[in-house]
Amino acid sequence: MNLTMKPQLLFCCTLVCSLASAASQDTSSPVSFASALDIPHLRKQGTATQLIVDGKPFLALAGELANNSATSLDYMKPIWPKLVDSKLNTVLAGVSWGQIEPVEGKFDFKIVDGVIQEARRHNLHLALLWFASWKNGMSSYPPPWVKKDFERFPRAQIAEGADPWPVLTISEVPRTKVTGNLSLELLTPLSEANREADARAFAALMRHVKEVDGRKHTVLFIQVENEVGMQGDTRDRSPGANQAFAGPVPKELMDYLQQHKDTLIPEFRKVWEAAGFKTSGTWEEVFGKGVAADEIFMAWHFARYVGRVAAAGKAEYPIPMYVNAALPRTSSIADPVLKGREPTILGYFAVGGPMADVMDIWRAGGPQIDIFSPDAYNDFADWCAKYDRSGNPLFVPESRGGSEGAARMLYAFGRHNAIGYSPMGIERSSTPDPDLTTAYDLVTQLAPLISAHQGDGSMSAVMLRSPSDPPQKVPVGNYTLQVVFTSPRRIAGEPPPQGNRSPAAAIFIAAGPDEYYAAGSGLAISFSPNTPGPPLAGLATVEEGIFVHGRWVAGRRLEGDDSDEGQFLMLGSKKGIQHFTLYRYR
Ligand code: DGJ
């Protein structure tokens, strides 16, 4: 540095240099942000909610690792390059409470640091999954000092013989009879000691993530706990729970319900209405005698607990936080408990978890939770519709891979303005899954367009499972699209196509009054105007192509065989993008 420079010039140089060095260190100077907008956050756009990273909308093209893959850096070594090859941009990785706090108050973040550094080195983002008090409705992740001290950290209990769910091993494990009820390997949500121990550990984790990543934003959002809920009974029957259940519904919850009476989730509102919309009383007085009151009681206490944990973490580093729900096998029975029906063969399933029907209870109890997410393995479209309600953004942390997953991803982003989609066990296949990789690539190309069109009705998507699925009609911009499943056509000179049995799906974006993009495969689309004017619509131009850094690069111009002589926009068996314009006539 030339010290003979004018004083103010000298000052500027010193300032620039010190800022530069501070940024590279990232852990030296305490991380402070001009505003919460500097860190990953959520932002509304029309009816959609977007995840904003470094000032820009971000679509999480994600994949969830198997539960414990990220607990060993060596185990992860061969996996990172595979994740990169699969073209995803975000990895969901579990963090075990027991692993980071093996001794009470003593935290070890070596593995977490390694996972963050490796993700960063591979140019990948992370969502960390806080496996702590609960995982799949059980408590296998708390540290031994919690598990062993069951007086200080009490368990949930079920009534003797109340375990109608044969599939759960619980009923086969010989247990000592406790106070007439049976203790589960499940921390009770009604214990302040449990809650505060979890909240302290989570706050320590978030404080650390802020220190090591507060400027780099490798970690974008957090899942708090995993598929919480009561197993084996409709509610906790521990002494503390029985006392609370016999007591009044907290005023806080009743105030919330009264304030939101007209916008409550219909399934839940019906239960409260059936019991007379009472505004005070015991749980059974307000919600009616039966299992629905049990579920609402459990939902309130799980939400309070998880909400407190989330709040403790956000006080350190307020990036977005979500909870994920274990869902019954078929959405048709949706929430048997809430419908007051005795459980079917499914038994009691994660009772009190963030099911779509009790989102209001979770919102009232856990206002710090930003998103309620479905682990939607079955009935994907139904669960997307149930969770993309009352302003809840859709993020799917667990679902399927393969061609099914590829179709679901396009559907979630296009039809439900999803923030992200993530197949479970992404590293399980020995090589990157070709269908998923193609879909990740397609959505990456389209990302600027998708983000620009989220939340204003100028984008949609269709997913059809087979030729027997009825055609779907979707309005997108100035036209209504009639979409049918199509098997590859016999094209002269081409080998006979293999049966197209994978699910077909596509995203449709109205980029202008008559201008569109369609991305996907296996569908044939025809159009009809949905605004006044000439009643018929035709394809004016069609071209296939790709987006390179957001810029459209056209390939072949498609007419004749490739548009069924202009009758349909044809998305073949190979996933691709087409840009087309429509015209109207009579
Ligand atoms: C749902 C859970 O959330 C996951 O962690 C995992 O246990 C799957 N079920 C089954 O692999």
Side-chain angles (χ1 to χ4, degrees):
M1 195 182 301
N2 167 358
L3 294 177
T4 60
M5 282 184 207
K6 294 210 194 65
Q8 63 279 27
L9 188 51
L10 183 60
F11 167 72
C12 301
C13 294
T14 354
L15 176 64
V16 174
C17 304
S18 58
L19 280 179
S21 65
S24 60
Q25 272 143 22
D26 201 0
T27 51
S28 61
S29 53
V31 180
S32 59
F33 313 109
S35 82
L37 295 183
D38 294 347
I39 60 176
H41 60 279
L42 298 176
R43 184 176 72 195
K44 277 279 180 200
Q45 175 173 291
T47 58
T49 301
Q50 299 183 318
L51 172 64
I52 306 298
V53 177
D54 300 328
K56 291 203 297 292
F58 182 90
L59 300 180
L61 308 179
E64 177 163 334
L65 296 171
N67 287 177
N68 305 305
S69 300
T71 60
S72 157
L73 300 180
D74 289 342
Y75 182 88
M76 282 301 295
K77 273 213 180 78
I79 291 174
W80 292 112
K82 218 166 55 173
L83 296 173
V84 172
D85 294 346
S86 64
K87 298 199 173 170
L88 52 72
N89 63 20
T90 305
V91 179
L92 275 57
V95 175
S96 153
W97 180 11
Q99 188 176 48
I100 68 156
E101 193 182 9
V103 177
E104 184 167 6
K106 297 243 172 321
F107 293 96
D108 175 353
F109 295 116
K110 264 196 311 305
I111 301 290
V112 172
D113 288 347
V115 168
I116 293 175
Q117 278 151 21
E118 281 303 292
R120 201 179 284 162
R121 207 164 62 75
H122 290 84
N123 204 15
L124 294 169
H125 286 283
L126 288 170
L128 298 179
L129 318 179
W130 178 231
F131 292 160
S133 294
W134 300 299
K135 162 99 190 30
N136 298 24
M138 302 297 285
S139 298
S140 59
Y141 279 86
W145 54 271
V146 170
K147 289 179 176 176
K148 292 177 185 162
D149 194 347
F150 53 83
E151 300 294 352
R152 181 177 165 205
F153 302 109
R155 308 309 179 81
Q157 294 183 353
I158 58 174
E160 182 71 32
D163 181 9
W165 196 23
V167 284
L168 248 191
T169 57
I170 291 179
S171 56
E172 287 136 19
V173 178
R175 282 182 298 261
T176 48
K177 197 166 174 34
V178 179
T179 60
N181 290 347
L182 299 173
S183 286
L184 295 176
E185 187 84 45
L186 172 62
L187 295 180
T188 173
L190 285 99
S191 153
E192 194 161 326
N194 296 353
R195 190 181 67 214
E196 291 316 305
D198 188 327
R200 269 194 306 277
F202 186 59
L205 172 67
M206 294 312 295
R207 192 177 317 120
H208 184 74
V209 171
K210 177 183 171 182
E211 267 161 36
V212 299
D213 190 56
R215 293 180 200 284
K216 294 256 170 60
H217 309 153
T218 303
V219 179
L220 300 181
F221 50 102
I222 306 284
Q223 177 186 295
V224 188
E225 316 291 347
N226 189 92
E227 291 194 348
V228 309
M230 181 69 190
Q231 301 285 7
D233 201 341
T234 54
R235 73 170 176 80
D236 180 358
R237 299 189 189 268
S238 61
N242 289 342
Q243 195 187 356
F245 189 70
V249 177
K251 183 172 178 317
E252 201 186 337
L253 175 54
M254 293 321 301
D255 290 351
Y256 180 94
L257 295 180
Q258 286 169 79
Q259 277 154 29
H260 297 82
K261 193 173 181 183
D262 301 333
T263 57
L264 295 173
I265 300 274
E267 296 91 310
F268 166 75
R269 192 174 192 281
K270 245 190 272 151
V271 169
W272 187 27
E273 182 177 21
F277 280 135
K278 291 195 189 66
T279 56
S280 66
T282 67
W283 294 87
E284 289 195 323
E285 283 163 358
V286 174
F287 299 114
K289 238 178 167 0
V291 291
D294 294 359
E295 169 153 12
I296 297 163
F297 169 78
M298 291 311 292
W300 170 255
H301 287 287
F302 277 120
R304 296 281 292 160
Y305 188 117
V306 179
R308 164 77 187 106
V309 172
K314 280 195 168 182
E316 300 295 338
Y317 188 38
I319 56 178
M321 296 188 181
Y322 74 94
V323 290
N324 63 327
L327 302 173
R329 295 234 171 292
T330 103
S331 62
S332 60
I333 62 167
D335 192 343
V337 176
L338 203 54
K339 288 198 170 53
R341 263 183 311 181
E342 284 309 317
T344 63
I345 53 156
L346 284 174
Y348 296 121
F349 198 98
V351 178
M355 290 283 282
D357 310 62
V358 288
M359 256 200 279
D360 297 302
I361 308 297
W362 270 78
R363 278 214 178 105
Q368 289 292 357
I369 298 164
D370 301 293
I371 304 175
F372 302 102
S373 286
D375 289 347
Y377 289 91
N378 302 290
D379 293 309
F380 186 72
D382 292 344
W383 287 119
C384 286
K386 276 189 180 293
Y387 276 85
D388 178 14
R389 278 196 294 185
S390 89
N392 181 52
L394 182 71
F395 173 65
V396 181
E398 294 184 32
S399 190
R400 299 196 183 287
S403 59
E404 177 75 32
R408 290 176 174 197
M409 184 191 309
L410 298 179
Y411 184 78
F413 283 117
R415 177 68 75 91
H416 291 283
N417 300 315
I419 282 179
Y421 176 87
S422 162
M424 177 66 198
I426 192 70
E427 81 280 27
R428 288 198 182 121
S429 56
S430 56
T431 53
D433 170 315
D435 285 296
L436 271 182
T437 303
T438 315
Y440 284 137
D441 176 55
L442 216 55
V443 178
T444 303
Q445 288 184 51
L446 285 166
L449 208 56
I450 291 175
S451 298
H453 287 271
Q454 282 186 322
D456 68 357
S458 61
M459 175 172 68
S460 190
V462 168
M463 179 170 66
L464 297 175
R465 313 187 54 65
S466 73
S468 58
D469 270 11
Q472 277 197 24
K473 279 194 175 195
V474 279
V476 185
N478 293 338
Y479 294 82
T480 296
L481 285 54
Q482 164 121 342
V483 185
V484 296
F485 187 97
T486 172
S487 294
R489 287 160 42 85
R490 177 139 193 64
I491 301 278
E494 280 194 11
Q498 303 310 308
N500 176 357
R501 285 295 156 262
S502 359
I507 291 183
F508 303 101
I509 299 174
D514 303 301
E515 182 192 3
Y516 288 78
Y517 291 91
S521 60
L523 298 172
I525 305 101
S526 55
F527 307 86
S528 52
N530 56 25
T531 56
L536 303 172
L539 290 164
T541 62
V542 185
E543 59 192 15
E544 65 184 7
I546 57 172
F547 278 97
V548 179
H549 305 309
R551 195 174 54 77
W552 176 247
V553 180
R556 292 181 305 154
R557 184 181 170 95
L558 303 176
E559 284 150 327
D561 285 352
D562 295 310
S563 67
D564 203 359
E565 311 318 324
Q567 302 310 297
F568 296 100
L569 187 87
M570 304 293 290
L571 295 173
S573 54
K574 199 165 140 317
K575 288 184 190 52
I577 308 175
Q578 294 188 18
H579 174 223
F580 59 98
T581 58
L582 299 171
Y583 73 99
R584 300 173 60 161
Y585 63 102
R586 63 166 56 83

